[in-house]
């Protein structure tokens, strides 16, 4: 997995290039009329199943609780650094207050397992055993519904398939040899304020999370998902915070180990 190439791709996406659908239309391609197919029907890649995080880098930041003041790679502004330097896990409130580092903006970097499944044709659910959290990805133009949801640790996630869905691919590119299928893009807002890292680096309720999920199969048959993430926050960050994490597919529910949120534990 070429991480530098993936991050470069994410930056290009962040810059706002035209979508493959728009590009195809500019070449004179006609979009098929009729009702919009469900996200499950046109999914170009199958993300369902059980996936285990594989920590190949930044071990000391992910497999351990970093010490106070360890801000490497976090683009924190002075106020965010001041707040983070006050972090003390012993002073975090009990119960739900322990979940500040398990919010959507950080949880994909916490070691653990994911269980992904469709709950209906336009809703994809991701259960996470670390912190016993659940993320819900809403398709079918649901972005506007975010304004009506109260802030939560996992926020409101609007999802869409990047590229042209597989079910429409043949009709749109017949005979061209073109393959413009993509992965999953998720935009998450309405998050409760939390930590980008276990040791208190904050993000605010104004933070926005953009993620790109790419599934692929290695020559040896191993299935992987790589998640490239971009966190922006006008209150605490001086620049977008970019990360990339990898998950390997494993047998269903193998090693599944739901744990509570814990401020003083790596997971």
């Amino acid at each position: 997995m070429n991480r530098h190439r993936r991050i470069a791709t994410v930056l290009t996406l962040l810059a706002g290039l035209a979508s493959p659908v728009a590009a195809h239309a500019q070449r004179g391609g006609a979009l098929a009329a009729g009702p919009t197919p469900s996200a499950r029907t046109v999914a170009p890649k199958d993300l369902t199943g059980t996936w285990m995080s594989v920590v190949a880098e930044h071990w000391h930041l992910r497999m351990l609780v970093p010490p106070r003041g360890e801000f490497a790679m976090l683009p924190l502004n002075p106020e965010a650094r001041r707040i983070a330097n006050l972090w003390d896990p012993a002073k975090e409130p009990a119960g739900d207050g322990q979940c500040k580092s398990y919010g959507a903006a950080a949880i994909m970097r916490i070691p653990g397992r994911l269980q992904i499944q469709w709950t209906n044709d336009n809703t994809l659910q991701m259960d996470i055993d670390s912190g016993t959290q659940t993320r819900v990805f809403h398709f079918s133009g649901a972005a506007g519904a975010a304004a009506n949801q109260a802030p939560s640790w996992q926020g409101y996630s609007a999802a869409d398939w990047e590229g042209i869905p597989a079910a429409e691919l043949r009709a749109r590119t017949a005979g061209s040899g073109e393959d413009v299928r993509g992965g999953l893009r998720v935009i998450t807002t309405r998050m409760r304020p939390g930590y980008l890292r276990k040791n208190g680096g904050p993000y605010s309720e104004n933070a926005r999370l953009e993620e790109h999920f790419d599934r692929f199969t290695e020559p040896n048959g191993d299935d992987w998902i790589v998640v490239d993430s971009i966190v922006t926050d006008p209150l605490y960050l001086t620049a977008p915070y970019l990360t990339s994490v990898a998950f390997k597919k494993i047998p269903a529910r193998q090693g599944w180990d739901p744990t509570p949120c814990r401020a003083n534990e790596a997971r």
Side-chain angles (χ1 to χ4, degrees):
M1 294 175 285
N2 188 324
R3 295 291 176 84
H4 296 293
R5 178 173 59 80
R6 291 186 182 280
I7 291 297
T9 300
V10 173
L11 287 171
T12 299
L13 290 165
L14 187 63
L17 293 180
S19 72
V21 172
H24 184 74
Q26 291 172 0
R27 295 194 297 269
L31 301 184
T36 302
S38 72
R40 186 177 190 174
T41 299
V42 302
K45 297 182 180 179
D46 181 13
L47 304 181
T48 61
T50 303
W51 306 82
M52 178 181 67
S53 60
V54 176
V55 182
E57 58 187 16
H58 306 154
W59 179 277
H60 69 295
L61 300 176
R62 297 181 60 192
M63 298 298 290
L64 303 172
V65 176
R68 183 167 53 194
E70 172 53 272
F71 303 142
M73 295 170 290
L74 289 179
L76 303 178
N77 64 22
E79 176 61 11
R81 287 173 176 266
R82 183 191 69 79
I83 292 171
N85 277 320
L86 299 175
W87 170 78
D88 182 348
K91 295 181 180 179
E92 296 291 354
D96 188 58
Q98 297 275 304
C99 293
K100 291 180 182 177
S101 62
Y102 294 81
I107 195 165
M108 302 304 285
R109 289 183 61 78
I110 295 179
R113 291 166 177 79
L114 317 175
Q115 177 66 34
I116 304 176
Q117 60 188 357
W118 291 96
T119 58
N120 60 51
D121 283 348
N122 284 306
T123 307
L124 194 62
Q125 178 171 306
M126 174 191 291
D127 293 313
I128 305 168
D129 65 352
S130 296
T132 314
Q133 298 293 306
T134 296
R135 302 185 65 186
V136 180
F137 302 152
H138 305 272
F139 290 81
S140 191
N148 300 319
Q149 175 165 308
S152 64
W153 292 126
Q154 303 310 321
Y156 187 92
S157 296
D160 62 73
W161 295 115
E162 298 182 288
I164 298 177
E168 300 177 33
L169 184 64
R170 288 189 298 276
R172 298 187 181 195
T173 62
S176 69
E178 180 183 16
D179 185 351
V180 290
R181 289 173 294 178
L184 174 67
R185 181 180 67 164
V186 178
I187 305 295
T188 302
T189 55
R190 305 296 291 169
M191 294 179 283
R192 290 175 62 179
Y195 296 156
L196 291 171
R197 188 173 289 166
K198 279 282 183 176
N199 62 349
Y203 63 88
S204 75
E205 67 276 7
N206 297 317
R208 176 184 185 272
L209 169 65
E210 177 173 345
E211 297 168 288
H212 299 267
F213 292 72
D214 181 29
R215 175 185 171 152
F216 60 94
T217 302
E218 294 280 16
N220 67 356
D222 289 344
D223 291 317
W224 293 83
I225 290 177
V226 171
V227 186
D228 296 319
S229 302
I230 307 164
V231 179
T232 53
D233 185 354
L235 185 60
Y236 289 135
L237 300 182
T238 61
Y241 174 47
L242 310 178
T243 61
S244 184
V245 292
F247 297 85
K248 183 179 178 181
K249 193 168 190 180
I250 59 177
R253 298 281 177 174
Q254 183 182 74
W256 189 252
D257 181 29
T259 60
C261 296
R262 298 178 291 193
N264 61 349
E265 297 286 343
R267 68 173 298 270

